[in-house]
Amino acid sequence: MHDKDDELEIWKKTLENREIPEVDLDNAIHRGVLQARRQYPLKKEKRFKRPLIAGLAVAVMCLLFVTTIRSSPAFADAVSAFPGMKKIVALIQDDQGLKSAIKNKHFQKIGVSDETSGVQITLDGVIPSSQNLVLFYTITYKKNHRSDFLQNIWIRGANGEELGLASVWQIPSEDYETANTSTNAISVDFNEPISKKEAVLEFDFIGGYGEKETIQLPFTINVDDVPNYTYAVNQKVTIDEQSLLVRQVTINPVITSVEIEYDPNNSKEIFGIEHLSIKGKWGRKWKPLKNGLTSSSTDDFPNRVTYYLQSSYFENNKKLKLEIGKVMALDKQETELVIDTESEKIVKQPKDKRFSNVKVRGGELNIDFEGESDFYNYPVSINFMDSQNEERQFEYWSGHPNGEEKATLMMKLPDSPIKNPITLKINGYPNYLEQDSPAIIELK
């Protein structure tokens, strides 16, 4: 017999594959009706599905909360557990792993509040695991304080230590225009595994007159009785003569982590896996995360990447299969973009020449890029090398393909003199390995 949540799958499919355009940060903060995501770089991370631009990466997300959630009695009971849960469910409607956590009552109600002169915040609850945490909070701006600026969000231990890499995503509440209220979520990737921990969620605000105010919300993370499921795979996969090793898959109540190592002897540079999923009974799939950290790697193991998928923790974890398809890659000899910023010319680029029309105006480097309808990666790195092999960094960068055929990349050059030409590392490119069907690995 099929799971009672099958009807939810139909609902979910109708909301998939939506275009999410980027918009201006200041308007997002002041209007309070936009989704936002911020990565706090407490450890090295790269190769994001939707890479960051300077400051917060902001996207509009208009949501529809459909009454078909009532088709699952267990889910309906969880939703009615306390006021405000419907907004939380609307926030995570695209993540069936987090929805399963709520359905299976793996949601810890917190309810602690604090406020400044202009803002009140309530930490509604959390979905915890030993390696990750998702927090849900409600923020209400008081009358005449909608211009208060949210400067930073921190996740700290009771002793003030930072606990990990945090990603913030926000969504408008249905009553924002009248009540100045929005429901939001924060996902945290811990620096080290946690079983029980006293923690503090901290918000730093800048008021309308420049004064700084802080809100601190203490809570307890407790996952003593929630073990992870780990599959030691260690299986090699070859696609279009390129090799990769699937090292292990770890499933916890928040996310699924898939650790993959690319063979350094490959002739192509693999930028990422566009189609990666866990497949269960009746064809159900758990796909890559759409919010928060989507992949990470470290300098210690540059060829090893961990990808993050939705969690199948509360489903039957038997007979699961890992599917690998549409691998983004480029010949290693073509992974550099070399530009002379003085003559505004491209010295070197991949052979299909997607980069063009270099312009330098007011210290800002603009480059046109020809993308594709399903390409979202920012194609070049924020670091570059000058002609003397000195590593430099752009002051900021913005504008990316975002699923459009054409885009203009904008990068602010350093104020100090640059020795031309400069070399930018290509981090993503709409070129893919050829394969007849996805590679499939059974998780045992």
Side-chain angles (χ1 to χ4, degrees), residues 73-82 85 89 102-105:
F75 197 58
D77 289 344
V79 168
S80 62
F82 72 92
M85 181 61 83
V89 174
I102 289 179
K103 185 184 76 172
N104 287 273
K105 300 181 179 180

Side-chain angles (χ1 to χ4, degrees), residues 33 63 91 334 387:
V33 294
L63 295 177
L91 179 61
E334 297 188 86
S387 62

